[in-house]
Amino acid sequence: MSDAAQPTADEVRAAAEAVKAALDRHLEAVERRTGEDDPAVYAAFNELAATAEAYDELLYDAYDEVTPFEIPGDDTLPAYAGPDEPSALSVLIRRDYAVVEPQRLLAQAQRVADLDPDVDVDTDAGGHGGAAGIVGHSMHAALGVLFGEYEPDEIASRHKEFGLEEGDSTLWVSAADEPAEPGEWLAAPFDQADPQRVVCRFDVSAVFDEELGLDDGDDGDDDGIEGIEDELDADADADEGDGEGGGAVRARGR
């Protein structure tokens, strides 16, 4: 148990009562739901998850006990609250990579620097023999060179050449009322990402392999993946999920 002040029995009891009340509200919302994306059900689910987590923490701190419940992470989008006919869009992309072969990455960046003497190098990183010499010895400088030289899609398709291994990735298409002014969001480009304005999203993760049964070697599941790819008509996303580390694609839309 933590050395911090322990919650009282009354606090634990109050947290348990909050869970009971949240359970009742969740059931009522489900019984009155108006559709698959009913915002009342979504809100009740989040309230139940939050109260259950708070109770679990207090129970552990006070009595060194846990509940038998595991609240699943919410990977669904809230009800869409954007314009019916968006006049502008924002496309938000996140791709994660692990640096599995640092020397390969450094060597590739050094080749770019050797071929282009005017390559933009962060000289604050420290190095050997001038700006170009920094690249082959500084991971910070090497990453700046590679991601400055190649488009993100090219990095994604050639990640193994750069000593990278793909992790999860996601693409959100978000509706806007009007195009942003030049430079308007550059200081904080992701702060205005509103899940309620997401028209559709496409996720790539190895965790979906298990959901689709790919780890069982079942050839029959290939049709399911091809169906998703055909429906999305997005070859780039399919390339990320072709078994080279990106995992399967899962799409969510309105």
Side-chain angles (χ1 to χ4, degrees), residues 12 25 35 56 90 93 130 135 145 151 167 175 182 189 202 204 211 218 246 249:
V12 178
R25 285 191 289 271
D56 191 84
S90 291
I93 301 175
V135 178
V145 167
E151 292 290 333
F202 306 99
V204 179
E211 296 180 9
D218 185 355
V249 176

Side-chain angles (χ1 to χ4, degrees), residues 142-249:
L143 288 170
V145 167
L146 288 178
F147 280 87
E149 178 71 14
Y150 299 102
E151 292 290 333
D153 287 344
E154 188 169 5
I155 294 285
S157 64
R158 300 174 56 187
H159 60 277
K160 289 186 177 181
E161 295 180 35
F162 304 126
L164 301 175
E165 182 179 275
E166 286 182 313
D168 289 355
S169 66
T170 189
L171 181 150
W172 290 21
V173 180
S174 181
D177 296 315
E178 57 185 22
E181 294 294 328
E184 179 180 343
W185 49 256
L186 291 178
F190 304 111
D191 281 2
Q192 296 180 0
D194 184 353
Q196 288 189 299
R197 283 182 167 256
V198 174
V199 178
C200 56
R201 64 180 284 183
F202 306 99
D203 299 332
V204 179
S205 176
V207 74
F208 303 148
D209 291 349
E210 296 180 2
E211 296 180 9
L212 295 171
L214 299 184
D215 54 347
D216 296 330
D218 185 355
D219 294 337
D221 286 328
D222 292 343
D223 294 337
I225 298 175
E226 291 174 1
I228 293 174
E229 292 169 353
D230 292 340
E231 180 184 347
L232 301 182
D233 193 24
D235 292 339
D237 287 337
D239 288 341
E240 291 180 2
D242 63 2
E244 292 188 359
V249 176

Side-chain angles (χ1 to χ4, degrees), residues 94-116:
R94 171 174 173 168
R95 293 184 176 122
D96 284 0
Y97 297 97
V99 180
V100 292
E101 297 183 75
Q103 292 306 315
R104 178 183 290 271
L105 190 150
L106 292 169
Q108 289 282 27
Q110 186 63 64
R111 290 191 186 96
V112 173
D114 291 342
L115 291 172
D116 184 2

